[in-house]
Amino acid sequence: MRNLREIESTGVFGTKRPLDTANVDRLANELEQTGVIALPQLLSPEQLRGMQHAFAAKLKRLRWNQFDGYQRTEPYRLMVEDVLLLDQGFLDLAVHPLVKEILSRYLGPNYELTEAKGWKSLPTKKDFHGWHGDMWYDQTVENKIHREIKLAMYLTDVRSGAFNLLKGTHLQQHPHNLKRAEVKTLPMSQRIELKGAAGTAFLFDTTVIHRQGVPMLEPRQAIFYAYHDPRVRIQDEDVYYNRYHPLLLNAAFLGGLSREDQRVLGFGNKTNLQPGFNRHENPPMIYRAYCASLGISLRWEQYCERMAARWRRILGKQPTNRY
Ligand SMILES: O=C(O)CCC(=O)C(=O)O
């Protein structure tokens, strides 16, 4: 496997350029053999800049009430869900012709994009994200090791805390989080660390043993798209959290999609739709405290407005428009 740093920049492998079948075959074979491939430059610098800008905007604050933003459910990562809503580049990447060609060879004709999210990893020396294969299908009923591919792209330059994997460990066992005893037996000579500049993209079979590297010395922003056959039964935990809900899309970015693009994006597919889904857990105490303080602050604002209006009437002044 080539190191990502050695990949030549041969210009943007854009959506208009005809695909070189030999090159696609070579990449698909490499993916089959090793469980991972580095991709050539798929997007233009302008597309990448648009994605970085939109992603950074989501990272400005924690999502709350009318303030859109990231989600935080763990200490070392800020999660940005549903990135296809954010910028045209995220959508273009998801249905890039080279990606689709490789995926249809590796996953067959029924694969779809089932999740599109990203995160900002915060600097830490803590080893919080161990070696694993991604669990997604219901292993209590599925005997087969199902194929799933993730497309990853860095949105910042990554010099530490890069994606790590053990080449050739894919499709050997059902994916799971590895226990300490298993980690001791891993073929560490096969370890690859995918450092790279912003825009670096790669595909990996999610059964390949992988992890985020430690230490993470500077913040890292990356997106990960998951592609698999949506007809395969999802594990209970992901049904519970509605993880593989139909993609959330932005109408502004859906012009000019081919029928294949529409299929890949799951147009009209209700297999994993949970109508009226509501999270099953109760929000934490702090949420109730926020709600209560919001109610008080809204009522206080209204009271201040009424007082200000009364004083304006008394003093004969015109109201100033706040909006
Ligand atoms: O953030 C990383 O580098 C690791 C990602 C990962 O483990 C995953 O997507 O399953």
Side-chain angles (χ1 to χ4, degrees):
M1 152 93 194
R2 294 162 301 158
N3 187 307
L4 285 186
R5 276 165 299 188
E6 292 163 17
I7 290 175
E8 288 170 45
S9 177
T10 50
V12 183
F13 216 98
T15 48
K16 301 281 182 290
R17 202 164 111 179
L19 288 176
D20 168 0
T21 314
N23 193 30
V24 177
D25 288 342
R26 188 182 54 73
L27 286 168
N29 284 339
E30 194 179 329
L31 182 58
E32 199 71 52
Q33 297 303 315
T34 63
V36 60
I37 47 168
L39 293 168
Q41 192 188 341
L42 298 177
L43 302 176
S44 69
E46 296 73 44
Q47 284 173 303
L48 179 61
R49 266 198 298 279
M51 293 161 74
Q52 289 168 320
H53 180 71
F55 200 79
K58 284 286 274 192
L59 286 168
K60 280 212 173 97
R61 58 165 75 90
L62 183 68
R63 189 172 76 163
W64 187 69
N65 204 14
Q66 78 271 43
F67 297 100
D68 202 5
Y70 60 83
Q71 296 181 28
R72 190 165 191 188
T73 52
E74 50 181 271
Y76 302 109
R77 291 191 302 180
L78 314 182
M79 308 304 293
V80 178
E81 299 287 334
D82 308 308
V83 296
L84 302 181
L85 292 169
L86 304 184
D87 186 76
Q88 183 73 55
F90 292 104
L91 201 286
D92 294 344
L93 177 67
V95 293
H96 191 287
L98 179 64
V99 171
K100 283 185 299 186
E101 278 298 321
I102 297 170
L103 292 181
S104 58
R105 280 167 171 71
Y106 195 83
L107 297 174
N110 297 315
Y111 77 88
E112 288 181 13
L113 175 60
T114 53
E115 182 180 59
K117 67 179 182 186
W119 52 86
K120 175 177 177 174
S121 302
L122 302 177
T124 181
K125 295 197 170 121
K126 205 171 163 70
D127 185 359
F128 75 97
H129 198 204
W131 290 105
H132 65 279
D134 291 351
M135 289 180 281
W136 62 276
Y137 59 86
D138 187 350
Q139 296 182 17
T140 63
V141 295
E142 299 285 346
N143 294 324
K144 188 176 155 190
I145 301 175
H146 284 284
R147 290 182 174 217
E148 181 188 62
I149 289 284
K150 270 189 180 165
L151 164 61
M153 180 178 272
Y154 295 144
L155 299 179
T156 50
D157 295 344
V158 176
R159 290 176 282 262
S160 67
F163 182 80
N164 276 237
L165 70 113
L166 303 177
K167 194 170 88 173
T169 54
H170 59 304
L171 299 176
Q172 289 180 9
Q173 52 186 333
H174 286 299
H176 62 285
N177 296 323
L178 271 66
K179 301 213 169 61
R180 208 172 287 176
E182 282 178 282
V183 170
K184 285 199 184 120
T185 66
L186 291 176
M188 286 300 171
S189 57
Q190 298 297 92
R191 180 176 180 153
I192 295 177
E193 187 171 36
L194 295 174
K195 293 178 181 169
T200 295
F202 48 92
L203 294 174
F204 62 97
D205 182 317
T206 62
T207 60
V208 86
I209 295 171
H210 63 276
R211 58 168 300 158
Q212 178 183 290
V214 265
M216 179 75 70
L217 300 177
E218 50 201 348
R220 190 200 80 178
Q221 293 175 29
I223 52 169
F224 289 84
Y225 293 174
Y227 299 85
H228 61 237
D229 185 339
R231 297 168 310 172
V232 176
R233 187 171 154 154
I234 299 294
Q235 62 179 356
D236 285 351
E237 187 186 329
D238 292 332
V239 175
Y240 183 83
Y241 290 113
N242 199 18
R243 177 167 178 182
Y244 297 107
H245 57 77
L247 296 175
L248 302 189
L249 300 168
N250 186 330
F253 308 142
L254 302 181
L257 293 177
S258 67
R259 287 197 77 79
E260 194 200 4
D261 294 341
Q262 294 179 15
R263 187 197 59 72
V264 171
L265 295 171
F267 277 34
N269 186 350
K270 298 198 174 86
T271 307
N272 289 316
L273 175 73
Q274 297 192 47
F277 177 78
N278 209 355
R279 282 186 82 96
H280 301 285
E281 339 79 278
N282 282 325
M285 194 63 168
I286 195 161
Y287 170 83
R288 287 195 289 272
Y290 272 141
C291 292
S293 65
L294 176 64
I296 293 168
S297 87
L298 289 174
R299 277 197 292 275
W300 173 249
E301 243 179 59
Q302 275 187 350
Y303 171 78
C304 291
E305 274 167 24
R306 274 202 313 275
M307 285 299 116
R310 188 171 295 171
W311 277 106
R312 278 195 301 272
R313 273 199 307 277
I314 292 169
L315 299 172
K317 286 192 180 160
Q318 290 299 311
T320 49
N321 196 347
R322 292 177 57 217
Y323 301 103

